[in-house]
Amino acid sequence: AEAEAPLAELAGLIGVAAPGQSASAHVRAFIDAVIELRDEVGIPATSEKIKAEDFDYIVDLAVTEATGYFPPKMLDKAGARHILSMIAG
C-alpha cells in the first residue's frame, strides 16, 4: 500500500498504465512489465546461489545499505529475509 502511488506513477512513465484503470491495476501492469523485461534479458526468477545459511549475513548488509535512502517502504530484516527466500526458490 505504501508503494502503490510511486509504482503506479512508474507504470505511467513507462507507458503501461491504461487510462481509466485503478492505481492497483497500474501497479500490476508495472510489475508485469518488470517481469517481462527480466525474462527478455535472461535474468532467472530464482537462484540456487542464494543459500538459506547466508540469509542473516545478506539481510544485515541489505538493511545497512538501505539506511539513509528514502524508499517507498523501509526494508526491515523480516522483509529482506522474505525477499531472499523468494529468490532462493
Side-chain angles (χ1 to χ4, degrees), residues 8-79:
E9 180 181 358
L10 287 171
L13 292 172
I14 66 167
V16 296
Q21 284 186 324
S22 67
S24 60
H26 290 175
V27 170
R28 183 75 250 166
F30 177 75
I31 292 169
D32 289 345
V34 170
I35 291 169
E36 183 178 330
L37 176 62
R38 180 201 66 204
D39 293 344
E40 285 177 11
V41 298
I43 299 172
T46 61
S47 173
E48 68 271 355
K49 294 180 181 183
I50 305 292
K51 305 287 184 205
E53 59 265 20
D54 298 327
F55 281 12
D56 288 335
Y57 174 71
I58 296 170
V59 164
D60 286 341
L61 289 176
V63 171
T64 300
E65 175 70 19
T67 303
Y69 292 105
F70 300 100
K73 182 175 181 180
M74 287 301 288
L75 181 66
D76 60 13
K77 288 187 176 191

